[in-house]
């Protein structure tokens, strides 16, 4: 038989040395397509020759083309069945192909002939592990290690088997042994890092990763773990970014690093860069649900709300079992007034955020006035921070000023400062040392500059890692740390898990319980937290007299109220207004509002223009109820003092139900605009009732839907009664507690004094009702246990 191969003529079916050399040369130096053609010709020429097929199998295995390697090795074994080494490498090829049953059988045949064949024993045990036969794999590896105690791969593989057998401590010891024998052994070091992270020992994991990176600087996994731990433990954006950029310099296609770098840029407000990172990651892994969700958040921030919804929907399609993905989509739909979300929410209300991974509950409040569910969700979400063990606090000398630290991202022209400016201005700095820790990116504005004059310390900690912020707060020896964010956007609740102060308080920013064991108190009042709903708060409750909400009694209103026509309003028709955020509006109140318009010819509903999609949906919902879309007027954003002035052009403010107007309600009352509200059960659903009660107008809080509608209609149809309400509002601004900044500050300071004195007396936190006119306390107003 004569067979031709490229460049060679031979008589016979056994390759000569020249043909072998030409094949090897093609493999080592020729383009892939040249080698492929030569290898196929070589295979056809010598299909039954052991040497030829064994060589082809070895070359294919070197190329990681294990399917062709298997075929070649099987041909070689057909020619020479007792070739033990060929049988062994066939077993490895089967292992690499994931055909572990076959690998176990073939490698078992090798071991039957050579029981001390360490490599065969290792790969066979590895296939057993891959098959889930962990106990058998562990026994085989232990036998191998008895013969080869310094076999680091066997130590590593046994470690992974023991993890599967729920023996993490033993696995950790094996990984440590492997690293001690070979510090550069990457796989064992990564296994140890993963175990330490799983056990919550992140500092140790970071140290192991850093040592690995020093020994193996081209290993992207080490830098990836360092970046993640920097984010997780300390919110250290700069260090994490450095690590992820190092990863991407090694391997620019690593999806997790691209995704996490995108998250870092998003948190810094660099949305374009974030979207670029997400787009690169998406090319590599289009099926990654969390990536689509992150794209959705970034698109939401740049105002591409329709594209954001598509991204959230795709994320949920890819991973429909993830509750936080569903929660994000539903919350986003509410921003658009896409009320299909409410029906979908009703189907999952009893499980969303309660089964599996927790979700931030704030965005769901508008869909669910159920304080029991709100507490359960808050506890599930807060649990991710609960494992941090804070360092103890040192002794505190009596007689010094009480040191209070306020922590927020909103110390700029923001609703928080519109409310709290008077409190900061009125703080008794002889009795209280006031510090502000600002972690927001917005560093501008007159409100921010004015605040600096009213506090002892203004500390800009934006971008600062958690550990540094905690150290800074500890250096200021805070007695009380006050969180003004809760679970709202841009919060840093993780700081409080480290304990910034011996006593920690939730105030103003989040209308409900945080469910966190590291938050000792929540500040409310008897309306927002009545006795009937007290059980839905994990914190001890401080009830202030009047309203829990602070207000600045020096808020400026622009001197000129624009004419109605300049605001797009009818000159003579009745103007109902609701400047609530669009996500708070639901069909329940919308039905009432549309009926009111129907019963008041010529009237309009004046709303805040949140976005084009919400406006379009609300106009459609009006038409569906027989009300012309032209009777909806949407007001754009304007400066706060101008907004307060334009509110005077309205006749009556209509509140939302599950999530009331909060700052928006006090804006209306300060501007002299009456508000009709209806208290629900949860904190968020009772705020406006608290405000009108503190304004001396409790009759504006209707007990139910029917009474709410009847009251609004009666006021709209009775100009004299409405004028009387406006007069009472105007008179009450100077005498009622809602707009008395000094009085509110005295109540807050009385609460701080009480909780501080309880701590100094060694008493645990307890509920505190602050008297209407605070008096000095010995060990707090609450019970003694």
């Amino acid at each position: 038989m004569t067979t031709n191969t490229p460049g060679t003529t031979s008589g016979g079916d056994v390759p000569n040395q020249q043909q072998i050399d030409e094949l090897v040369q093609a493999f080592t130096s020729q383009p892939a397509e040249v080698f492929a053609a030569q290898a196929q010709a070589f295979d056809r020429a010598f299909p039954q020759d052991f040497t030829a097929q064994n060589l082809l199998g070895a070359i294919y295995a070197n190329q990681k083309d294990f399917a062709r390697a298997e075929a070649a090795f099987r041909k070689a074994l057909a020619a020479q069945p007792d070739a033990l080494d060929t049988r062994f490498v066939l077993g490895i090829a089967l292992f690499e192909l994931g055909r572990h049953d076959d690998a176990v059988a073939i490698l078992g045949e090798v071991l039957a002939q050579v029981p001390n064949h360490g490599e065969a024993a290792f790969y066979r045990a590895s296939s057993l592990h891959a098959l889930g036969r962990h106990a058998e794999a562990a026994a085989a590896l232990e036998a191998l290690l008895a013969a080869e105690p310094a076999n680091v791969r066997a130590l590593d593989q046994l470690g992974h088997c023991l993890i599967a057998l729920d023996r993490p401590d033993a696995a950790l010891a094996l990984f440590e042994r492997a690293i001690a024998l070979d510090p550069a052994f990457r796989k064992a070091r990564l296994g140890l890092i993963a175990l330490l992270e799983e056990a919550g020992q992140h500092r140790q994991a970071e140290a192991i990763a850093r040592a690995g990176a020093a020994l193996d600087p081209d290993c992207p996994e080490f830098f990836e773990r360092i970046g993640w731990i920097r984010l997780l433990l300390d919110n250290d954006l700069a260090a994490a970014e450095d690590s992820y950029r190092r990863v991407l310099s090694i391997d620019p296609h690593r999806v997790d690093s691209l995704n996490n770098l995108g998250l870092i840029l998003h948190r810094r407000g660099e949305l374009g860069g974030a979207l670029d990172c997400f787009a690169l990651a998406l090319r590599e892994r289009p099926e990654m649900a969390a990536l689509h969700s992150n794209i959705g958040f970034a698109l939401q921030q740049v105002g591409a709300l329709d594209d954001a919804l598509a991204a959230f929907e795709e994320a949920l399609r890819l991973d429909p079992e993830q509750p936080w993905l569903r929660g994000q989509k539903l919350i986003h739909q509410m921003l658009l007034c896409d009320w299909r979300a409410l029906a979908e929410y009703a189907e999952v209300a009893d499980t969303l955020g309660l089964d599996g991974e927790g979700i931030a509950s704030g965005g769901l409040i508008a869909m669910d006035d159920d304080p029991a569910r709100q507490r359960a969700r808050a506890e599930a979400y807060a649990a991710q921070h609960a494992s941090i063990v804070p360092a103890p606090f040192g002794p505190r000398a009596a007689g010094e000023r009480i040191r209070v630290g306020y922590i927020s991202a909103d110390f700029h022209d923001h609703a928080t400062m519109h409310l709290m400016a008077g409190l900061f201005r009125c703080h008794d700095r002889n009795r209280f040392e006031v510090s502000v820790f600002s972690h927001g990116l917005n560093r501008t504005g007159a409100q921010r500059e004015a605040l600096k004059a009213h506090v002892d310390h203004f500390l800009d900690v934006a971008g600062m890692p958690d550990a540094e912020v905690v150290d800074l707060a500890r250096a200021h020896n805070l007695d009380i740390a006050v969180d003004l964010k809760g679970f709202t956007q841009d919060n840093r609740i993780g700081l409080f898990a480290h304990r910034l102060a011996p006593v920690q308080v939730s105030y103003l920013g989040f209308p409900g319980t945080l469910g966190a064991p590291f938050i000792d108190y929540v500040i409310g009042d008897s309306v927002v937290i009545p006795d009937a709903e007290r059980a839905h708060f994990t914190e001890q409750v401080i009830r202030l007299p009047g309203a829990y909400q602070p207000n600045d009694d020096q808020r400026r209103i622009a001197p000129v109220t624009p004419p109605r026509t300049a605001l797009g309003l009818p000159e003579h028709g009745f103007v109902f207004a609701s400047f609530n955020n669009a996500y708070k509006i639901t069909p329940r109140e919308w039905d009432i509002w549309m009926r009111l318009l129907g019963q008041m010819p010529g009237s309009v509903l004046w709303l805040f223009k949140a976005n084009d999609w919400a406006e379009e949906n609300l106009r459609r919902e009006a038409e569906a109820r027989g009300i012309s879309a032209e009777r909806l007027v949407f007001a754009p954003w304007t400066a706060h003092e101008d907004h307060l002035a334009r509110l005077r052009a309205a006749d009556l403010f209509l509140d939302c139900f599950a999530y009331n107007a909060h700052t928006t309600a006090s804006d209306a009352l300060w501007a002299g605009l009456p508000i009709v509200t209806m208290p629900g059960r949860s904190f968020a659903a009772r705020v406006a009732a608290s405000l009108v009660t503190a304004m001396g107008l409790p009759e504006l809080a209707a007990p139910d839907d029917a009474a709410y509608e009847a009251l609004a209609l009666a006021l709209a149809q009775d100009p004299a009664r409405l004028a009387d309400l406006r007069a009472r509002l105007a008179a009450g601004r100077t005498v009622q507690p809602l707009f008395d900044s000094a009085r509110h500050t005295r109540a807050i300071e009385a609460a701080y004094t009480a909780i501080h004195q309880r701590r100094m007396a060694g008493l645990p936190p307890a509920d505190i009702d602050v008297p209407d006119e605070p008096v000095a306390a010995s060990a707090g107003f609450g019970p003694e246990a």
Side-chain angles (χ1 to χ4, degrees):
M1 173 181 175
T2 300
T3 304
N4 294 326
T5 59
T8 301
T9 300
S10 174
D13 56 3
V14 177
N16 59 39
Q17 189 60 47
Q18 180 183 353
Q19 292 168 319
I20 292 172
D21 291 344
E22 287 175 351
L23 180 66
V24 173
Q25 183 179 13
F27 166 59
T28 57
S29 60
Q30 294 297 320
E33 60 272 15
V34 173
F35 166 73
Q38 188 124 349
Q40 290 168 11
F42 193 83
D43 183 24
R44 289 193 300 270
F46 311 111
Q48 297 177 353
D49 181 70
F50 172 79
T51 301
Q53 294 299 325
N54 205 43
L55 175 61
L56 276 174
I59 291 174
Y60 284 135
N62 187 277
Q63 291 182 319
K64 299 190 182 307
D65 186 349
F66 294 107
R68 286 194 171 93
E70 179 199 0
F73 288 141
R74 288 195 183 279
K75 290 178 183 179
L77 285 169
Q80 191 172 320
D82 59 349
L84 192 67
D85 288 344
T86 302
R87 194 168 298 277
F88 166 64
V89 291
L90 172 60
I92 294 178
L94 293 167
F95 171 85
E96 296 291 351
L97 287 168
R99 288 168 50 195
H100 295 292
D101 282 316
D102 293 339
V104 168
I106 290 292
L107 294 169
E109 293 171 4
V110 174
L111 289 166
Q113 296 182 57
V114 186
N116 63 346
H117 196 305
E119 286 293 285
F122 172 78
Y123 278 102
R124 182 175 180 275
S126 298
S127 278
L128 287 169
H129 175 59
L131 290 167
R133 295 160 62 179
H134 306 302
E136 293 176 70
L141 290 164
E142 286 168 351
L144 174 59
L145 285 166
E148 301 177 20
N151 188 326
V152 293
R153 289 190 305 153
L155 287 166
D156 171 72
Q157 190 64 278
L158 179 56
H160 286 93
C161 288
L162 295 180
I163 291 172
L165 292 169
D166 199 23
R167 295 172 58 192
D169 292 341
L172 188 144
L174 289 167
F175 292 143
E176 289 177 335
R177 276 177 60 192
I179 294 170
L181 288 165
D182 183 359
F185 186 37
R186 181 184 296 186
K187 190 167 179 285
R189 189 176 291 273
L190 290 170
L192 178 58
I193 291 167
L195 263 186
L196 290 170
E197 289 190 67
E198 182 71 22
Q201 300 178 45
H202 296 97
R203 301 289 183 199
Q204 298 93 318
E206 182 181 2
I208 297 295
R210 289 190 181 280
L215 291 166
D216 189 359
D218 293 326
C219 174
E221 289 92 344
F222 291 139
F223 294 101
E224 208 159 52
R225 299 323 305 156
I226 292 167
W228 175 244
I229 293 168
R230 290 287 83 223
L231 275 182
L232 180 70
L233 282 195
D234 291 325
N235 197 39
D236 190 341
L237 301 186
E241 179 180 356
D242 288 345
S243 292
Y244 288 127
R245 291 197 184 279
R246 179 64 180 271
V247 171
L248 295 170
S249 71
I250 300 168
D251 180 359
H253 303 289
R254 288 190 72 87
V255 172
D256 288 343
S257 289
L258 285 167
N259 181 50
N260 288 338
L261 179 59
L263 290 173
I264 290 168
L265 296 175
H266 186 174
R267 286 165 67 177
R268 284 187 171 156
E270 300 174 28
L271 297 172
L275 285 167
D276 288 344
C277 286
F278 296 146
L280 290 171
L282 198 62
R283 292 179 197 169
E284 304 292 330
R285 199 184 299 170
E287 75 286 356
M288 182 176 171
L291 184 55
H292 288 274
S293 175
N294 293 337
I295 291 170
F297 274 119
L299 291 171
Q300 191 181 79
Q301 292 291 300
V302 300
L305 301 187
D306 52 346
D307 292 335
L309 178 58
F312 288 134
E313 288 175 336
E314 178 64 9
L316 188 61
R317 185 191 69 79
L318 290 167
D319 193 355
E321 300 306 315
Q322 278 291 356
W324 59 274
L325 292 176
R326 187 172 302 279
Q328 289 168 357
K329 182 188 79 78
L330 295 174
I331 292 166
H332 185 77
Q333 285 179 275
M334 293 301 290
L335 291 173
L336 308 180
C337 292
D338 178 355
W339 293 335
R340 294 173 299 173
L342 293 166
E344 183 177 344
Y345 174 75
E347 296 177 359
V348 297
D350 290 333
T351 58
L352 187 63
L354 303 176
D355 292 347
E357 186 175 351
I359 61 175
S361 58
L364 299 175
I365 291 175
M367 291 185 270
D368 192 352
D369 182 22
D370 185 331
R373 273 202 290 257
Q374 290 179 19
R375 171 175 173 162
R377 287 197 187 104
E379 288 181 295
Y381 186 68
Q384 64 188 311
H385 300 288
S387 61
I388 299 171
V389 179
F393 291 89
R396 169 66 155 89
E400 299 176 339
R401 288 191 296 172
I402 298 173
R403 293 181 284 267
V404 180
Y406 294 93
I407 295 87
S408 180
D410 299 330
F411 296 120
H412 56 94
D413 186 13
H414 183 276
T416 296
M417 278 306 301
H418 297 159
L419 295 176
M420 292 194 67
L423 185 149
F424 286 120
R425 186 177 61 249
C426 294
H427 253 316
D428 183 350
R429 303 263 293 284
N430 292 317
R431 297 174 52 229
F432 294 87
E433 181 180 325
V434 180
S435 298
V436 160
F437 295 78
S438 175
H439 57 80
L441 296 177
N442 191 329
R443 295 180 168 95
T444 63
Q447 293 242 350
R448 185 180 180 92
E449 293 308 309
L451 173 62
K452 294 177 181 179
H454 298 306
V455 298
D456 294 279
H457 312 285
F458 187 100
L459 304 159
D460 188 340
V461 297
M464 189 179 290
D466 282 3
E468 293 182 24
V469 179
V470 172
D471 289 344
L472 184 61
R474 294 290 188 103
H476 279 76
N477 296 309
L478 296 182
D479 296 305
I480 300 168
V482 183
D483 175 31
L484 298 174
K485 291 297 293 181
F487 294 144
T488 59
Q489 185 176 350
D490 300 324
N491 77 80
R492 289 185 67 176
I493 193 67
L495 290 171
F496 291 83
H498 291 273
R499 278 272 169 194
L500 302 175
V503 181
Q504 301 195 139
V505 179
S506 172
Y507 181 41
L508 189 63
F510 187 77
T513 183
L514 295 182
F518 46 81
I519 299 295
D520 305 300
Y521 291 95
V522 60
I523 295 179
D525 58 50
S526 61
V527 177
V528 293
I529 310 179
D531 289 341
E533 308 295 352
R534 168 64 184 86
H536 304 305
F537 290 80
T538 60
E539 305 88 347
Q540 300 302 306
V541 173
I542 297 172
R543 289 190 179 99
L544 300 182
Y548 84 100
Q549 187 191 85
N551 271 282
D552 179 13
D553 56 15
Q554 294 183 16
R555 265 192 290 179
R556 185 175 182 274
I557 302 177
V560 177
T561 299
R564 281 187 165 190
T565 52
L567 297 168
L569 300 171
E571 187 172 356
H572 300 295
F574 194 89
V575 177
F576 295 103
S578 185
F579 279 79
N580 277 297
N581 275 309
Y583 69 86
K584 297 183 180 183
I585 303 172
T586 72
R588 183 181 173 193
E589 52 266 62
W590 190 255
D591 289 342
I592 294 173
W593 298 353
M594 294 303 99
R595 288 197 295 270
L596 290 170
L597 291 180
Q599 295 176 83
M600 290 293 294
S603 64
V604 297
L605 177 59
W606 196 18
L607 300 160
F608 174 64
K609 182 179 176 62
N611 57 74
D612 291 340
W613 297 271
E615 179 177 342
E616 180 182 344
N617 284 332
L618 290 175
R619 289 190 186 280
R620 186 178 64 252
E621 294 291 347
E623 294 281 357
R625 290 160 176 79
I627 298 298
S628 169
E630 295 180 357
R631 295 179 68 183
L632 305 184
V633 180
F634 290 87
W637 182 91
T638 191
H640 189 61
E641 62 184 47
D642 295 326
H643 170 64
L644 293 174
R646 73 181 175 184
L647 283 173
R648 291 173 166 168
D651 294 302
L652 186 64
F653 191 105
L654 301 174
D655 198 16
C656 295
F657 293 159
Y659 203 146
N660 289 173
H662 293 186
T663 307
T664 310
S666 57
D667 286 347
L669 295 171
W670 180 247
L673 176 61
I675 177 169
V676 175
T677 187
M678 186 196 73
R681 293 188 60 203
S682 69
F683 190 127
R686 302 180 64 83
V687 169
S690 165
L691 302 181
V692 296
T693 300
M695 197 61 195
L697 297 168
E699 67 270 26
L700 292 178
D704 54 41
D705 297 40
Y708 171 98
E709 182 173 357
L711 176 59
L713 182 62
L715 291 173
Q717 293 176 336
D718 190 341
R721 184 178 175 188
L722 195 58
D724 178 65
L725 275 175
R726 283 185 174 275
R728 291 170 62 192
L729 272 175
R733 286 210 322 172
T734 58
V735 296
Q736 294 294 339
L738 182 61
F739 295 119
D740 189 337
S741 296
R743 182 176 181 175
H744 184 88
T745 305
R746 288 197 302 271
I748 282 283
E749 290 177 343
Y752 291 164
T753 300
I755 62 179
H756 175 64
Q757 290 183 349
R758 288 192 67 85
R759 180 239 169 174
M760 294 293 288
L763 296 171
D767 283 3
I768 293 172
D769 289 332
V770 179
D772 192 23
E773 289 297 331
V775 295
S778 58
F781 299 117
E784 293 301 308

